[in-house]
Amino acid sequence: MSAVGLADGFRAMLQRDLLLAWRRRGDALLPVLYAVIVATLFPFALGPEHALLARISGGVVLVTVLLAMLLSLDAVFRGDLDDGALEQMVLSPQPLALLVAARLLAYWLVTALPLIVVAPLLAYMLGLERAAQPVLLLALLLATALLALIGTVLTALTVGTRRSGMLLALMLLPLAVPIVIFAAGAVGAAQQGLPWVAPVAWLAAALALALVLAPLACATALRIALDS
Amino acid sequence: MNAFKLWYHKLGSPPYFYVFAGYIQPWLWTIALALAAAGLYGGLVLAPPDYQQGDAFRIIFVHVPAAWMSLFVYGVMAVSAFIAVVWRPKMAEVLAMESASIGAAFTLIALVTGSLWGRPTWGTYWTWDARLTSELVLLFIYLGVIGLYHAFEDPRQGARAASFLAVVGAVNLPIVHYSVVWWNTLHQGTTVRYFGPSSIAPSMLWPLLAMTIAAKFYYGASLMGRARVSLLSLERGKDWVAEIVRKEPAHG
């Protein structure tokens, strides 16, 4: 058996996940479709009044993206658990945290990136000011990465359980509260023409912390969930 | 090995803990009930009505201890959960998981009494104030821990996973609190301080402290009782449980 380096392991994992996602590329559209549907429901529920929709547009888009990601989080390890690839990841000579990080990157690219691409469209339809659009994109970029990192840790914990969807929502909500507050705070401030750098900086700081800690925590959680 | 260390390690053994918990439980109950009786009498009868809030303030003798306990129990749970994740002793898992239910109950009591107090004082049962919101988030964290624990078929594996979640929640809790404070604040400032004079009348302070200590002892008593039941269930295949069942007179 030839020795495989860390970078090779990471690249192989990422390549495999992206290839798998590409082979089933229709699946990647489902969260996007879900987000579009949810965002479309808001004007029907609240009325087509432009001023009201414009005021809540940033928050609605953020929450919609969060829900769409929550919907897809359940599947991050599901396939690998069913076919036994997850055990192979745990047993492989590469650190589990590294492989998990590759999986996370693939998940973010496949799920969050399409949502970020469609988010400006949703925000425009709801009447978000043009000046706040870049801030929304920036906030979404940071917030989705944070959510993916934290959400995967929780998903790893529920890997050994059946019917984990509702439980995942219950577990993720408390952890998502600060993310939503700061992301929506930045967009709200930009809408009112106030400085919005502080909440974005907080998100970025949290992301820096989560980038280092979350893969390690995720690896620990996987070991706990698989150990039986 | 000195005597205390020996005793501490003995406590990690389920049969020893079962006997020990059964021994101290009545004492904890007695102290809790006596202090609660004194505190309630002092708070509901002796203390004068508040000059602004009238008699409505009297709910603090339940509300404030419950709110403090909701955090205190989380602290105890997080520490034993951390020990459970790192060193995996069975007792730490049991104590962390049984603490979660009690902590959730205290959090619920704090939320309900708080909203009952809010109606006459603030004019609304619920408002998205920082402290209320973080207390609600705390309740969700507790429910997540309890839910995860019960989602596993193997209780020990469930306890380890839920313990890990409790540790993650402990890191998250201050972040939630400060982000929510940054977001919105209406709750009155804190009136009881450890250092320096408290801005609360002594006739109201002592029943509050009595109730707080009563709540601590109640937590201890309840935890011991729950841990004993949980141990019997977890260790039901073991000899020491069979021994206890044999000695116990048959009920019905």
Side-chain angles (χ1 to χ4, degrees):
Chain A
M1 198 170 84
S2 65
V4 181
L6 292 181
D8 294 328
F10 185 87
R11 201 178 312 121
M13 185 79 191
L14 187 63
Q15 234 167 30
R16 166 184 178 270
D17 285 348
L18 288 179
L19 188 65
L20 280 175
W22 180 248
R23 293 271 160 79
R24 297 179 58 86
R25 42 193 177 275
D27 285 5
L29 281 179
L30 286 178
V32 174
L33 206 59
Y34 175 82
V36 172
I37 289 168
V38 172
T40 319
L41 283 176
F42 273 89
F44 290 125
L46 300 170
E49 190 194 335
H50 184 79
L52 172 69
L53 289 178
R55 203 164 63 79
I56 62 165
S57 54
V60 167
V61 172
L62 272 167
V63 172
T64 305
V65 168
L66 185 150
L67 289 178
M69 287 191 69
L70 178 66
L71 204 68
S72 55
L73 261 178
D74 203 25
V76 174
F77 297 112
R78 181 65 61 197
D80 282 354
L81 179 74
D82 289 344
D83 66 10
L86 204 54
E87 272 92 350
Q88 296 306 316
M89 278 168 69
V90 175
L91 294 173
S92 79
Q94 273 77 30
L96 182 56
L98 185 84
L99 300 179
V100 165
R103 159 62 45 88
L104 258 162
L105 182 58
Y107 167 72
W108 186 83
L109 287 174
V110 170
T111 311
L113 211 51
L115 284 170
I116 294 174
V117 170
V118 82
L121 179 68
L122 298 179
Y124 181 78
M125 283 164 69
L126 290 170
L128 185 73
E129 290 91 334
R130 180 154 298 184
Q133 285 269 14
V135 183
L136 176 70
L137 273 185
L138 190 59
L140 272 176
L141 219 57
L142 297 169
T144 51
L146 256 174
L147 266 176
L149 285 162
I150 295 169
T152 337
V153 176
L154 300 182
T155 313
L157 276 177
T158 59
V159 149
T161 68
R162 282 170 287 110
R163 294 198 307 113
S164 52
M166 199 52 221
L167 184 62
L168 199 58
L170 179 64
M171 287 157 61
L172 188 64
L173 176 95
L175 291 150
V177 166
I179 304 176
V180 173
I181 287 178
F182 285 119
V187 178
Q191 273 180 303
Q192 294 167 14
L194 298 169
W196 45 264
V197 176
V200 170
W202 276 110
L203 278 180
L207 180 60
L209 198 65
L211 268 177
V212 178
L213 292 181
L216 294 171
C218 197
T220 311
L222 272 180
R223 284 187 210 282
I224 289 173
L226 288 178
D227 171 44
S228 51
Chain B
M1 199 182 280
N2 62 40
F4 177 75
K5 221 173 160 188
L6 183 70
W7 174 77
Y8 174 77
H9 281 284
K10 270 187 180 171
L11 218 48
S13 134
Y16 187 86
F17 187 92
Y18 183 84
V19 174
F20 170 77
Y23 179 71
I24 66 165
Q25 206 191 353
W27 294 100
L28 294 173
W29 273 118
T30 313
I31 297 171
L33 290 178
L35 275 172
L40 283 177
Y41 183 73
L44 301 184
V45 181
L46 294 182
D50 188 77
Y51 81 103
Q52 255 184 338
Q53 301 177 3
D55 279 329
F57 91 96
R58 293 184 195 278
I59 206 162
I60 65 159
F61 297 113
V62 179
H63 173 70
V64 173
W68 280 345
M69 285 308 286
S70 67
L71 280 176
F72 178 83
V73 174
Y74 198 94
V76 175
M77 180 178 83
V79 169
S80 36
F82 182 78
I83 295 171
V85 170
V86 177
W87 293 286
R88 300 186 171 191
K90 188 179 272 178
M91 277 322 302
E93 291 169 10
V94 169
L95 290 180
M97 288 307 107
E98 297 310 323
S99 289
S101 309
I102 306 172
F106 272 122
T107 313
L108 192 64
I109 291 171
L111 277 170
V112 170
T113 53
S115 77
L116 287 178
W117 176 85
R119 179 66 197 153
T121 317
W122 292 341
T124 172
Y125 284 113
W126 181 260
T127 165
W128 292 97
D129 161 71
R131 282 201 183 179
L132 273 69
T133 312
S134 19
E135 194 74 4
L136 185 66
V137 171
L138 180 65
L139 181 65
F140 284 133
I141 299 182
Y142 273 126
L143 292 181
V145 170
I146 297 169
L148 187 61
Y149 176 50
H150 290 290
F152 283 85
E153 273 170 25
D154 174 15
R156 286 210 67 183
Q157 200 186 357
R160 269 204 294 281
S163 293
F164 189 79
L165 181 64
V167 174
V168 173
V171 176
N172 185 47
L173 210 51
I175 303 177
V176 169
H177 183 73
Y178 286 108
S179 64
V180 173
V181 165
W182 181 78
W183 175 63
N184 194 7
T185 288
L186 174 71
H187 198 286
Q188 68 180 45
T190 170
T191 45
V192 178
R193 297 188 187 89
Y194 293 115
F195 305 106
S198 301
S199 55
I200 178 172
S203 62
M204 297 175 187
L205 182 60
W206 77 260
L208 185 58
L209 293 182
M211 287 300 288
T212 305
I213 299 167
K216 292 259 191 317
F217 276 95
Y218 164 76
Y219 166 56
S222 176
L223 183 61
M224 291 304 135
R226 296 184 70 101
R228 293 183 84 204
V229 173
S230 172
L231 278 179
L232 285 184
S233 160
L234 280 174
E235 305 257 287
R236 57 182 173 272
K238 302 279 172 66
D239 287 343
W240 69 270
V241 176
E243 192 77 15
I244 287 167
V245 173
R246 220 175 295 127
K247 275 186 205 157
E248 198 94 334
H251 294 294

